[in-house]
Amino acid sequence: MARHPKGVGTNGKKLDVKVLLRLMKYVLTRYRFRYLIVFICIAISAVASVTSSMFMKTLIDGYIEPLLLSDVPDFAPLLKALMVMACIYGVGVISNFVYQKTLIVISQGTLFDLRNDLFSHMETLPIQYFDTHAHGDIMSIYTNDIDTLRQVVSQSIPQFLSSMITIISVFCSMVVLSIPLTLVTLSMVVVMQFALRFIMSRSGKYFAAQQQRLGKENGFIEEMMEGAKVVKVFTREEKTMQEFKQINDDLCDAAYKANKYANIMGPVNGNLGNISYVLCAFIGGLLALNNIGSLTLGTLASFLALNRSFYMPINQISQQLNSVIMAMAGAERIFAVIDAEPEVDNGRVTLVNVKEENGKLVECEEVTNHWAWKHPHDDGSETLVELKGDVRFHQVDFSYVEGKQVLFDIDLYAEPGQKLAFVGATGAGKTTMTNLINRFYDVQDGMITYDGIDVKLIKKDDLRRSLGMVLQDTHLFTGTIEENIKYGKPDATHEEVVAAAKLANAHSFIRHLENGYDTMLTRDGSSLSQGQRQLLSIARAALANPPVLILDEATSSIDSRTEKLVQEGMDKLMHGRTTFVIAHRLSTIKNSNAIMVMDKGRIIERGNHDALIEKKGTYYQLYTGVIENS
Amino acid sequence: MIKRLLQEVKQYKKASIAAPLFMVGEVVMEMMLPFLMSFIIDYGVNKGDMAAVAKYGGLMLVCAFISLICGTMSGWNAAYASSGFVKNLRESMFTAIQKFSFSNIDKYSTSGLVTRMMTDASNVQHAYQMIIRMCVRSPLTLIVSFCMTVYISPKMAMIFLGAMLFLGIILAIITTKAHPQFEKTFRKYDDLNASVQENVTNIRVVKSFVKEEEETNKFYTAAKNLRAMFTKAENIIVFNSPVMQLSMYGCMLLLSWMGAKMVVGSQLSTGELMSLFTYTMSILSSLMMLSMIFVMLSMSMASAQRIVEILNEEPSIVNPEDPCMEVKDGSIVFENVHFGYAKGEDKEVLTDVNVSIESGETIGILGPTGSSKTTMMSLIPRLYDVDSGCVKVGGVDVREYDLKTLRDAVAMVLQKNVLFSGTIKDNLRWGNEDASDEEMIEACKLACAHDFISSFPNQYDTFIEQGGTNVSGGQKQRLCIARALLKKPKVLILDDSTSAVDTRTDKMIRESFKNYLPETTKIIISQRISSIEDADRIIVLDDGKITGIGTHEELLKDNAIYQEVYQTQKKGDE
């Protein structure tokens, strides 16, 4: 089911305006007031910087030139003007500081909200979502996509704003100073845009190729590192090296070409700016000398400064554009998760504590460990049905993907306390059966009842609380052993934890750990052996104390001593509960009340061990070892 | 460490030197521009000399053109050098890993190696490109600009010196303060992502224990914590840009004031004053750039370190000088073998193992997990070296063989075995590059794999997904056995390689070995008594020591461990 992450070749992609708008909406609705502050401060700061270049004209024409002409230079007016400038600069610096600081709050806050929205929504998604999406892809949304978005929110958007304001105010100032020179500048901007577009389309093409080849190389390395020992055992080092060299050379080629174009963007832009500068100086000089358009030397000086500050923001915008396009692809993926349909739950039947009064069940507030299903009816009345663990399948059909049916007309019943086992080859539909009981998936046709109630009517949370699961891949969480055992019942006392551990045969190994029950587990309990992890997950299920259990037996080979412990633990756990066992080792299910032999989505044989052996059918063949079971 | 990395530049040395050299050209030309500007104004415009304007304007255009050429060449060379450098780095890392012995491999996780070869290498690539472009550009711009200001007016240059000192010191303080805070934050960030990962893989557990809400709350707290840390870190670097502006504006005010006085006092021309304004920007922004480069470089240092770690890892097993190039037969001798994974620690995994196996014998190995069955067998193809004693194959110490010769003669089917993406044929050819179709079919028949392969629509051309996910566990194991058989080994070691194969097929495989590979020494490690009970001899291991060698019947009589295992398994099977 693993799907390789799609290539991230977004460079050649057009900006998706719809996603951008949605993102803007997401950001702006949260921090309306703060964004207003940012906008104002950016404007002030940009105006201050434009004023600063405009001041050169005033300085030369208004102060220096007159001073040069006067016999007794009076510097007082200049000093006053400089004081005014200092104030403007001061305001500029302060606004800059304010908007930068506000932006931190905005960007971190937005990311925080986005992460939370993403995570809390993810938790509501149906299992199907996780089964059909590669976990690596989901992870990369949290790591890569949110990260690129952070850059956009905290850098690109403000830069964009500030550049736009600068461009506009600089443009206005240029027009005021000299219209002919403005035209010269603009014509160079057009040339620059053409050059930029040409280079970007080239580099984009090769960046896409680079990403794709990076992915290929990544895959190759991953495979060869995973199989590093096999490579050595088969002495395939040379051959592997050759293959790697080929892939690596291809990558290098793409990377070179991509960077080659990306790297000339700076010089081309910069020097087109320089050419524009020279042109303006030359034409401006001609105009000033010939007194055309009332262009003075001071005006020319100011204009040239403006010319410089005109190209910088244009350069910045075009650079930011690339990262915005990349981030939008990420935002699209983020929104796709947020938009994914959550698990629906129309269940009305809830699980309540009850006590017996005069031979009748009565709902009560206190914890009695005696449970019943509270079933509200359309006419307003309610009935209480005792929770026993009676599970029945009535003519169940099911398919994960439309048109590819995996279960056909399944009928079965498990009475409270019975043990039912499913056997059959991989893909026969054993795991699917258990997926349906706890409604990880919903049946398409037919019905599953639990204590006589259609499971679709039961609130999912309550249904799942009443079902315990021990999966073949044990999944533990970062935290102490005690926390892991308490997972299904956070308010359990230490004594209860120990009792559950004892029941699961886990107590003795836990006691021998240096920190006992406080031992920290990380990375799925990698410090423990497979068998120990299994014992812990049994203890976890035992503490939750559900009336119905689903056990997916482990396939991995653990040594026979540990296996015995695990088996004993499971047996104790199963005692008195309705249990569904997906069996991989036939020896462990002989004492089942019923064994269902499954093949291609159908139950082809059923009965207890002796009866099935007697029958000499598929089970007999499996048991004596003719057909492989994996 | 840097030295080790630079060794990998190799054929890209020329480009690596050319890139900064061209950059020097670009920067010098760029710096000429404001200078020429002042000439245009002073000698051209002010004197009404249009010829001078044309002359200096033309010169400026030439400069801009040269600057463009130099910039482009520098960019191309830098791209060539950096992508080539990283290519060499990856290749060297890959080669180094191929030379690793098992004990080297054990040190690293797969994902760790992938990260090093991909992400870390990319980081170094960016850093390298940055160095050969920016590390030259920024200081050079700084120096040239400053020299220009000194040339124009030494007095005014002092203003810049002051501003540079001011900005430099503050930037240094900000960087040194922010860096550790960011490192701390990023570690926390990794933790958060790890917990997401945990939630994604454990989603079935989360849902069946109805813990969605609590997990969300847990995440909320962690994310809040992260936000606080990020905010704290960013609040340090937030001073960067205002301080930069402060210095720049300060410079401009001082320049205006002093400049005006000097122009009036005829110590400075208006054109020169304008040039000085232009240099303000380039001096201060290159200083800013330098501090950014510094941060980026220190971040990529960690990556460089991880790469060098791989490059410097000494392979613990190397070919001997003058190696023995032929393995005579499949006899194996263990003589007083002691072995431990961690050298220097006293935790011995194999203690004083002595056993002699004849060529063609079938040997079963049994013992609880952790009894070092796999370890003992790994010594035969010299995947690890013994600490003391010796292991002999064909009468010769394994350390005297050419590694390829030895490992080609000893086929080991690993417990954690891997199929590679490619067709079944591709996978089988791992055993023998030139195997004919007939040979492949024969090997597959011996491994009881031919039947199921034939049932696939594409038969031997069926494509195997990465990790062999599209075949069942038992099928995978049989393919792995067939692959090993194609080597036509003198010794065949099966390390729990039929655990997912049903008992009857398992038996058929063993029978075919017996009938068709009489010359080959067969060693079978298994948890299942049924897999080994008909072996010529069975070795029982416990805690790194041999506790018994003998036939099934003999061991059943006098070996406690064997009896115990037998009891537990028979109870289930009857």
Side-chain angles (χ1 to χ4, degrees):
Chain A
M1 214 166 280
R3 224 143 287 181
H4 294 291
K6 289 168 207 106
V8 206
T10 44
N11 285 57
K13 218 174 142 180
K14 283 267 171 310
L15 186 61
D16 192 334
V17 181
K18 236 161 71 192
V19 179
L20 184 67
L21 284 179
R22 183 161 171 198
L23 182 69
M24 295 299 281
K25 204 173 133 202
Y26 191 92
V27 179
L28 290 175
T29 47
R30 250 145 259 259
Y31 294 98
R32 230 170 273 175
F33 180 65
R34 283 212 164 85
Y35 247 107
L36 192 67
I37 294 182
V38 168
F39 188 77
I40 293 171
C41 288
I42 285 180
I44 295 175
S45 155
V47 169
S49 95
V50 175
T51 319
S52 130
S53 16
M54 291 290 283
F55 178 66
M56 289 175 65
K57 166 188 152 75
T58 331
L59 179 68
I60 294 174
D61 288 353
Y63 297 96
I64 295 181
E65 296 284 331
L67 279 172
L68 277 172
L69 298 174
S70 67
D71 295 332
V72 192
D74 177 13
F75 286 98
L78 175 61
L79 190 63
K80 224 170 118 192
L82 285 181
M83 295 296 242
V84 173
M85 279 315 290
C87 289
I88 295 176
Y89 287 156
V91 172
V93 172
I94 290 169
S95 334
N96 184 301
F97 183 68
V98 170
Y99 93 71
Q100 299 261 11
K101 241 184 131 92
T102 317
L103 262 179
I104 295 178
V105 178
I106 294 177
S107 64
Q108 286 305 326
T110 309
L111 291 180
F112 173 70
D113 287 342
L114 204 55
R115 274 200 195 101
N116 280 325
D117 282 358
L118 195 61
F119 189 86
S120 59
H121 189 80
M122 182 182 89
E123 292 288 295
T124 66
L125 293 177
I127 289 289
Q128 187 183 21
Y129 187 88
F130 297 92
D131 285 350
T132 50
H133 291 77
H135 291 177
D137 283 356
I138 302 177
M139 275 317 293
S140 112
I141 292 174
Y142 285 91
T143 50
N144 299 328
D145 296 341
I146 290 200
D147 242 24
T148 46
L149 214 57
R150 182 171 69 114
Q151 286 207 336
V152 169
V153 176
S154 68
Q155 276 177 25
S156 305
I157 295 182
Q159 182 119 69
F160 207 78
L161 276 178
S162 119
S163 299
M164 280 314 285
I165 294 173
T166 313
I167 287 174
I168 292 168
S169 48
V170 168
F171 183 73
C172 293
S173 315
M174 287 202 303
V175 171
V176 170
L177 287 180
S178 164
I179 292 171
L181 288 187
T182 309
L183 289 176
V184 174
T185 312
L186 275 186
S187 62
M188 283 313 285
V189 171
V190 174
V191 173
M192 192 186 267
Q193 284 313 309
F194 274 114
L196 267 185
R197 198 163 293 174
F198 175 75
I199 296 169
M200 265 170 74
S201 72
R202 282 295 166 96
S203 74
K205 193 176 95 192
Y206 289 114
F207 267 118
Q210 179 189 270
Q211 288 301 334
Q212 187 236 330
R213 285 176 199 181
L214 259 176
K216 192 175 167 197
E217 179 156 332
N218 199 334
F220 183 82
I221 293 175
E222 206 178 305
E223 186 164 19
M224 287 309 148
M225 294 304 128
E226 192 66 48
K229 292 193 170 182
V230 179
V231 172
K232 300 220 77 77
V233 170
F234 282 92
T235 57
R236 286 273 291 207
E237 293 95 334
E238 295 270 316
K239 180 95 185 153
T240 314
M241 277 296 302
Q242 276 168 20
E243 278 175 60
F244 176 75
K245 215 168 141 28
Q246 183 60 46
I247 296 171
N248 197 27
D249 284 348
D250 286 351
L251 171 65
C252 173
D253 186 54
Y256 165 53
K257 282 181 182 142
N259 280 308
K260 182 171 142 180
Y261 284 105
N263 281 353
I264 60 170
M265 215 136 105
V268 167
N269 269 345
N271 285 301
L272 283 174
N274 284 336
I275 290 170
S276 158
Y277 190 90
V278 173
L279 278 179
C280 285
F282 190 72
I283 296 172
L286 273 178
L287 292 177
L289 277 184
N290 302 323
N291 273 326
I292 304 167
S294 68
L295 194 71
T296 62
L297 181 57
T299 316
L300 179 57
S302 283
F303 190 91
L304 288 176
L306 285 176
N307 179 288
R308 273 245 137 144
S309 18
F310 192 58
Y311 281 99
M312 213 132 50
I314 290 183
N315 265 343
Q316 276 163 353
I317 285 185
S318 55
Q319 271 163 26
Q320 293 300 336
L321 209 61
N322 234 345
S323 63
V324 170
I325 290 176
M326 285 235 283
M328 282 313 114
E332 210 177 329
R333 282 193 288 268
I334 293 174
F335 288 132
V337 175
I338 291 182
D339 290 343
E341 206 63 46
E343 211 170 351
V344 276
D345 188 4
N346 301 323
R348 291 174 293 148
V349 179
T350 50
L351 202 56
V352 291
N353 268 301
V354 290
K355 57 186 171 191
E356 214 160 321
E357 271 176 19
N358 310 325
K360 268 181 78 181
L361 292 174
V362 182
E363 185 185 351
C364 61
E365 287 298 316
E366 70 263 30
V367 181
T368 55
N369 276 328
H370 189 179
W371 300 88
W373 299 109
K374 185 169 145 187
H375 195 167
H377 298 284
D378 291 336
D379 57 7
S381 64
E382 284 175 358
T383 45
L384 287 173
V385 182
E386 196 186 354
L387 173 68
K388 287 186 187 140
D390 175 296
V391 179
R392 288 160 201 261
F393 280 56
H394 307 273
Q395 292 157 1
V396 167
D397 286 346
F398 179 75
S399 57
Y400 289 103
V401 193
E402 213 169 311
K404 245 179 115 179
Q405 200 165 335
V406 269
L407 288 184
F408 299 87
D409 202 24
I410 300 287
D411 263 310
L412 67 86
Y413 54 91
E415 279 167 23
Q418 280 194 333
K419 178 177 172 187
L420 262 73
F422 301 114
V423 300
T426 314
K430 294 170 301 190
T431 309
T432 307
M433 301 275 287
T434 61
N435 273 339
L436 296 179
I437 299 174
N438 56 15
R439 288 190 66 203
F440 279 165
Y441 289 89
D442 274 333
V443 299
Q444 267 110 22
D445 201 18
M447 184 166 68
I448 299 173
T449 59
Y450 191 142
D451 290 332
I453 308 165
D454 185 346
V455 288
K456 281 187 181 168
L457 293 176
I458 302 177
K459 243 180 124 228
K460 272 187 182 168
D461 287 2
D462 287 335
L463 172 69
R464 287 177 190 161
R465 265 194 209 108
S466 73
L467 295 162
M469 269 195 126
V470 181
L471 300 169
Q472 61 171 305
D473 316 313
T474 55
H475 296 292
L476 300 174
F477 290 85
T478 305
T480 64
I481 287 191
E482 174 138 1
E483 281 165 2
N484 265 289
I485 297 178
K486 267 166 122 172
Y487 194 74
K489 195 184 176 194
D491 54 353
T493 61
H494 180 67
E495 285 67 41
E496 287 179 288
V497 171
V498 174
K502 278 185 176 155
L503 181 109
N505 279 341
H507 181 65
S508 68
F509 95 79
I510 299 172
R511 233 181 19 173
H512 281 107
L513 295 171
E514 204 180 317
N515 295 317
Y517 283 85
D518 295 325
T519 308
M520 271 301 283
L521 299 180
T522 50
R523 290 192 293 146
D524 207 7
S526 55
S527 53
L528 302 177
S529 78
Q530 175 67 22
Q532 290 170 334
R533 289 206 291 266
Q534 231 149 21
L535 293 179
L536 279 189
S537 68
I538 295 171
R540 181 170 66 185
L543 188 58
N545 195 23
V548 179
L549 261 183
I550 297 167
L551 298 180
D552 201 342
E553 262 193 340
T555 43
S556 53
S557 47
I558 38 180
D559 69 275
S560 29
R561 281 184 207 174
T562 318
E563 196 192 328
K564 219 167 109 190
L565 285 179
V566 172
Q567 199 48 54
E568 275 173 23
M570 290 229 191
D571 284 344
K572 279 193 258 175
L573 181 63
M574 284 186 256
H575 186 77
R577 302 178 210 273
T578 313
T579 310
F580 296 91
V581 186
I582 299 173
H584 300 281
R585 291 164 192 232
L586 301 183
S587 56
T588 60
I589 55 156
K590 278 193 317 196
N591 61 350
S592 304
N593 298 83
I595 296 167
M596 315 279 152
V597 183
M598 301 203 54
D599 184 40
K600 298 189 181 96
R602 290 175 208 274
I603 298 177
I604 51 168
E605 276 174 38
R606 64 175 88 206
N608 65 20
H609 176 74
D610 295 335
L612 288 175
I613 289 290
E614 194 73 18
K615 199 175 170 191
K616 291 210 181 286
T618 310
Y619 182 78
Y620 175 82
Q621 288 181 326
L622 273 172
Y623 194 77
T624 50
V626 177
I627 297 168
E628 159 200 332
N629 76 91
S630 57
Chain B
M1 182 181 86
I2 306 272
K3 228 166 115 191
R4 178 67 191 87
L5 279 184
L6 288 183
Q7 281 171 22
E8 301 299 330
V9 177
K10 287 177 195 158
Q11 70 267 42
Y12 300 100
K13 227 175 245 162
K14 237 194 254 163
S16 300
I17 294 168
L21 280 184
F22 278 116
M23 187 55 87
V24 172
E26 191 193 359
V27 171
V28 169
M29 287 303 130
E30 249 170 43
M31 289 301 111
M32 296 291 285
L33 294 171
F35 206 57
L36 287 169
M37 257 313 296
S38 74
F39 281 3
I40 294 181
I41 292 177
D42 289 346
Y43 302 120
V45 181
N46 278 355
K47 290 189 177 146
D49 184 356
M50 213 39 220
V53 173
K55 187 173 117 194
Y56 292 118
L59 212 57
M60 273 183 77
L61 282 183
V62 172
C63 283
F65 186 67
I66 296 175
S67 158
L68 177 67
I69 302 274
C70 285
T72 305
M73 290 310 287
S74 164
W76 282 1
N77 275 302
Y80 186 64
S82 62
S83 48
F85 173 55
V86 77
K87 180 192 83 173
N88 283 347
L89 259 187
R90 289 204 171 109
E91 210 172 295
S92 296
M93 269 194 277
F94 198 84
T95 315
I97 295 168
Q98 293 307 314
K99 287 196 185 121
F100 274 11
S101 70
F102 270 37
S103 53
N104 294 118
I105 296 173
D106 290 339
K107 273 198 221 166
Y108 302 97
S109 66
T110 303
S111 65
L113 289 175
V114 174
T115 314
R116 277 163 223 253
M117 291 198 63
M118 302 307 298
T119 319
D120 286 337
S122 291
N123 285 347
V124 169
Q125 177 185 12
H126 291 308
Y128 189 69
Q129 177 149 296
M130 185 103 138
I131 289 170
I132 57 180
R133 298 188 77 211
M134 289 307 161
C135 261
V136 174
R137 190 188 176 97
S138 302
L140 200 68
T141 312
L142 195 70
I143 292 165
V144 174
S145 306
F146 188 66
C147 288
M148 289 294 202
T149 60
V150 173
Y151 177 76
I152 294 171
S153 163
K155 218 167 129 192
M156 294 295 228
M158 295 317 286
I159 297 177
F160 290 111
L161 201 62
M164 272 156 65
L165 271 177
F166 172 73
L167 186 60
I169 288 171
I170 292 194
L171 283 182
I173 292 173
I174 291 175
T175 313
T176 44
K177 282 214 154 184
H179 189 55
Q181 185 65 32
F182 268 110
E183 284 216 325
K184 224 160 63 189
T185 309
F186 279 116
R187 266 202 299 278
K188 195 99 212 155
Y189 192 27
D190 287 344
D191 286 351
L192 183 80
N193 286 331
S195 86
V196 174
Q197 169 106 53
E198 199 168 85
N199 248 281
V200 173
T201 44
N202 291 4
I203 191 72
R204 281 194 144 76
V205 178
V206 173
K207 289 211 172 255
S208 51
F209 281 98
V210 201
K211 299 280 281 191
E212 293 98 325
E213 212 163 297
E214 266 175 270
E215 290 296 332
T216 307
N217 287 340
K218 233 162 72 186
F219 180 85
Y220 181 83
T221 318
K224 207 162 132 186
N225 200 345
L226 183 73
R227 175 175 70 171
M229 289 182 79
F230 256 122
T231 309
K232 196 172 160 198
E234 292 198 339
N235 268 330
I236 302 175
I237 56 164
V238 77
F239 289 98
N240 266 347
S241 132
V243 166
M244 161 81 185
Q245 280 199 342
L246 193 67
S247 336
M248 195 175 77
Y249 289 147
C251 276
M252 303 212 17
L253 285 175
L254 279 174
L255 281 179
S256 305
W257 176 243
M258 292 175 68
K261 284 199 155 176
M262 287 174 77
V263 171
V264 173
S266 302
Q267 289 164 292
L268 199 72
S269 69
T270 36
E272 282 171 342
L273 181 59
M274 275 176 54
S275 307
L276 285 178
F277 279 120
T278 320
Y279 288 127
T280 315
M281 192 65 200
S282 49
I283 287 179
L284 296 182
S285 62
S286 42
L287 201 60
M288 194 85 177
M289 196 71 190
L290 268 182
S291 82
M292 263 167 60
I293 292 173
F294 178 74
V295 171
M296 275 201 65
L297 282 188
S298 65
M299 277 178 170
S300 61
M301 266 319 191
S303 292
Q305 199 124 34
R306 281 197 289 266
I307 290 174
V308 171
E309 204 183 324
I310 299 275
L311 294 179
N312 284 347
E313 175 93 40
E314 286 290 335
S316 59
I317 292 179
V318 287
N319 241 357
E321 274 174 51
D322 198 14
C324 180
M325 298 302 284
E326 205 204 327
V327 179
K328 212 171 75 218
D329 59 40
S331 66
I332 300 160
V333 179
F334 280 75
E335 263 177 37
N336 309 322
V337 169
H338 289 259
F339 176 78
Y341 283 103
K343 307 280 174 235
E345 272 178 45
D346 47 9
K347 210 184 153 204
E348 236 174 36
V349 182
L350 284 176
T351 312
D352 199 27
V353 172
N354 280 292
V355 70
S356 168
I357 298 166
E358 274 165 49
S359 195
E361 235 184 324
T362 301
I363 298 289
I365 298 192
L366 187 98
T369 312
S371 59
S372 311
K373 304 181 293 279
T374 304
T375 310
M376 180 177 164
M377 290 305 109
S378 305
L379 299 178
I380 300 172
R382 205 186 163 205
L383 302 175
Y384 299 95
D385 268 344
V386 294
D387 290 346
S388 68
C390 77
V391 177
K392 288 180 184 165
V393 173
V396 178
D397 191 325
V398 290
R399 283 167 294 191
E400 281 164 30
Y401 281 112
D402 171 62
L403 274 177
K404 191 164 165 51
T405 311
L406 174 69
R407 288 181 187 162
D408 280 344
V410 180
M412 188 159 174
V413 182
L414 299 172
Q415 194 173 16
K416 185 174 168 274
N417 222 319
V418 182
L419 291 175
F420 295 87
S421 47
T423 63
I424 288 183
K425 273 188 189 166
D426 290 340
N427 270 287
L428 290 173
R429 283 204 192 97
W430 274 63
N432 176 9
E433 203 54 46
D434 316 309
S436 66
D437 286 3
E438 289 71 37
E439 282 174 306
M440 282 192 235
I441 292 171
E442 197 198 312
C444 285
K445 276 184 178 158
L446 281 179
C448 292
H450 180 70
D451 287 346
F452 78 79
I453 296 173
S454 308
S455 76
F456 292 150
N458 293 323
Q459 304 207 342
Y460 281 81
D461 292 317
T462 305
F463 196 84
I464 303 282
E465 300 286 345
Q466 183 173 344
T469 45
N470 59 338
V471 286
S472 79
Q475 292 171 338
K476 202 165 122 183
Q477 287 185 334
R478 281 178 276 169
L479 282 174
C480 289
I481 294 173
R483 180 172 67 179
L485 287 178
L486 275 167
K487 275 167 93 172
K488 300 215 164 59
K490 296 215 162 59
V491 178
L492 178 66
I493 302 168
L494 303 180
D495 187 355
D496 213 2
S497 311
T498 53
S499 58
V501 178
D502 64 86
T503 23
R504 209 180 117 163
T505 315
D506 188 19
K507 199 168 174 171
M508 276 160 63
I509 296 174
R510 272 177 286 124
E511 303 245 293
S512 63
F513 284 177
K514 206 172 187 173
N515 298 334
Y516 297 97
L517 304 170
E519 307 282 296
T520 307
T521 310
K522 297 153 290 269
I523 303 179
I524 300 164
I525 302 178
S526 182
Q527 303 273 8
R528 276 205 297 231
I529 290 254
S530 60
S531 301
I532 54 168
E533 63 187 349
D534 49 3
D536 295 331
R537 279 189 298 164
I538 299 162
I539 299 174
V540 181
L541 272 177
D542 189 32
D543 203 18
K545 296 186 192 80
I546 294 181
T547 63
I549 304 178
T551 62
H552 175 70
E553 287 73 23
E554 286 165 10
L555 289 170
L556 213 46
K557 230 179 282 165
D558 59 11
N559 190 294
I561 294 176
Y562 196 80
Q563 285 162 354
E564 190 194 325
V565 176
Y566 182 78
Q567 291 305 326
T568 40
Q569 294 194 0
K570 281 302 152 181
K571 202 171 75 192
D573 281 351
E574 286 311 307

